[in-house]
Amino acid sequence: MTTEAIMDQNLDLPEDPATSEAPPQVDNLDALESEAIHIFREVAGEFDRPVILFSGGKDSTVLLHLALKAFRPAPVPFPLLHVDTGHNFEEVLRFRDELVSRHDLRLVVARVQDWIDDGRLSERPDGTRNPLQTQPLLEAIEQNRFDAVFGGGRRDEERARAKERVFSLRDAFGQWDPRRQRPELWNLYNGKHRAGEHMRVFPLSNWTELDVWRYIQREKIELSNLYYAHRREVFHRDGMWLTSGPWGGPREGEEVHEKTVRYRTIGDGSCTGAVESEAYTVDDVIAEVAASHLTERGATRADDRMSEAAMEDRKREGYF
């Protein structure tokens, strides 16, 4: 038999089951976690003064958890930045301070109230302060010379955020220009920027709300108790259940009810609504989110309902 014939016969032989192994299956959460950790380490290697934007909400808490994993056993090598509207929920501020103390982190706070007090900003007629965060954010970035700012934005949240790259270049005025965004092929990120510019970085870009909650479940991540069902006095406005606070309300004719609610997202109390819910545990929340057809911002954030392009306009001004 010729050599060629022997080779042809060998090609037809079945594989030895003892030596052939199926490729390992990669869990979706493992893949997302690995990508996010890679992004954190990439930024730490490319930039001089990164910072994590931290609100005390679920996405920024997951972001901090990933940063801790990325650099463990060393401490997180950059601080947290919180733009405090003055209309935050007290439970969230307590939770923020506990996390900072527990992990010995440095916290930079830019308070919207300071800008209002000295006349750099004016209260809006509707009392909402979320749109007022942009100027304090940009000034805090400039004063602290932050060149990379991590955010917890996800592409599934809102149409404007769906356009965002993982590395989102902002000009010297903090503004976002979609024409200047760079391609990100094969998870290669271009951090090059001019003096005065900075990069917004979104490690959770490819996550969904359900992914975030499944990761919280798997990692046993502690959150503010506002994310779980509790009894609260609320009033109905613009299709949402709002609660009273330093931001005011209820207005004349708005009746107060005591309901079992939870918050899907946490922000300025004057425009962040609660949803009626019986989800007392992480498992309950996952089941509820899986059945929902609305994103958390679409369901409970009044500031995103101001116009069809509300988030797009704010991103161009320098907001996340």
Side-chain angles (χ1 to χ4, degrees), residues 1-199:
M1 183 178 292
T2 65
T3 302
E4 290 78 3
I6 293 172
M7 292 178 65
D8 289 340
Q9 280 188 334
N10 288 339
L11 289 174
D12 294 333
L13 290 174
E15 292 185 356
D16 182 354
T19 58
S20 62
E21 295 182 2
Q25 297 297 311
V26 178
D27 178 80
N28 180 54
L29 291 182
D30 287 337
L32 291 171
E33 178 189 71
S34 178
E35 178 187 54
I37 287 175
H38 165 69
I39 292 166
F40 269 109
R41 291 172 177 169
E42 187 78 9
V43 169
E46 281 196 56
F47 295 85
D48 294 323
R49 297 178 67 85
V51 67
I52 299 175
L53 195 68
F54 188 80
S55 67
K58 70 180 188 311
D59 295 319
S60 59
T61 302
V62 167
L63 209 59
L64 175 58
H65 179 85
L66 289 163
L68 289 164
K69 290 191 87 169
F71 301 105
R72 190 174 292 155
V76 176
F78 23 78
L80 307 183
L81 170 61
H82 182 206
V83 182
D84 183 354
T85 66
H87 287 176
N88 295 96
F89 295 94
E90 285 298 323
E91 298 95 325
V92 177
L93 294 180
R94 285 197 300 270
F95 174 74
R96 178 202 69 184
D97 293 341
E98 287 168 6
L99 269 185
V100 168
S101 175
R102 184 186 312 160
H103 299 293
D104 195 23
L105 300 166
R106 183 165 72 90
L107 175 66
V108 178
V109 181
R111 294 179 174 84
V112 171
Q113 188 64 52
D114 293 342
W115 271 257
I116 293 173
D117 290 344
D118 63 19
R120 285 176 287 175
L121 287 174
S122 300
E123 290 278 18
R124 292 168 52 89
D126 59 9
T128 301
R129 287 190 178 179
N130 247 25
L132 302 183
Q133 293 180 90
T134 301
Q135 187 176 340
L137 169 64
L138 294 178
E139 291 193 24
I141 291 171
E142 181 181 5
Q143 290 169 4
N144 292 276
R145 296 183 288 113
F146 295 133
D147 54 359
V149 183
F150 289 101
R154 308 186 322 268
R155 291 189 177 117
D156 76 321
E157 287 183 277
E158 204 271 343
R159 285 172 294 182
R161 285 185 168 173
K163 302 177 184 179
E164 198 83 71
R165 296 284 196 268
V166 174
F167 274 37
S168 178
L169 180 65
R170 302 299 174 103
D171 65 19
F173 301 99
Q175 296 176 335
W176 176 76
D177 184 350
R179 296 168 298 181
R180 295 189 64 203
Q181 302 307 299
R182 288 87 178 261
E184 295 179 338
L185 306 176
W186 306 292
N187 286 351
L188 297 175
Y189 304 110
N190 183 353
K192 188 175 181 180
H193 60 285
R194 300 187 183 97
E197 296 180 335
H198 69 275
M199 200 72 67

Side-chain angles (χ1 to χ4, degrees), residues 171-240:
D171 65 19
F173 301 99
Q175 296 176 335
W176 176 76
D177 184 350
R179 296 168 298 181
R180 295 189 64 203
Q181 302 307 299
R182 288 87 178 261
E184 295 179 338
L185 306 176
W186 306 292
N187 286 351
L188 297 175
Y189 304 110
N190 183 353
K192 188 175 181 180
H193 60 285
R194 300 187 183 97
E197 296 180 335
H198 69 275
M199 200 72 67
R200 306 285 174 91
V201 184
F202 302 99
L204 304 184
S205 285
N206 296 322
W207 298 51
T208 65
E209 184 184 6
L210 193 56
D211 291 329
V212 170
W213 276 105
R214 285 175 172 159
Y215 189 72
I216 290 166
Q217 178 192 50
R218 190 185 82 172
E219 300 289 305
K220 298 179 174 58
I221 299 173
E222 181 185 353
L223 297 178
S224 166
N225 57 12
L226 291 183
Y227 280 106
Y228 303 103
H230 57 284
R231 297 292 290 178
R232 179 178 287 268
E233 289 189 348
V234 291
F235 55 92
H236 202 252
R237 180 187 298 168
D238 298 331
M240 297 186 303

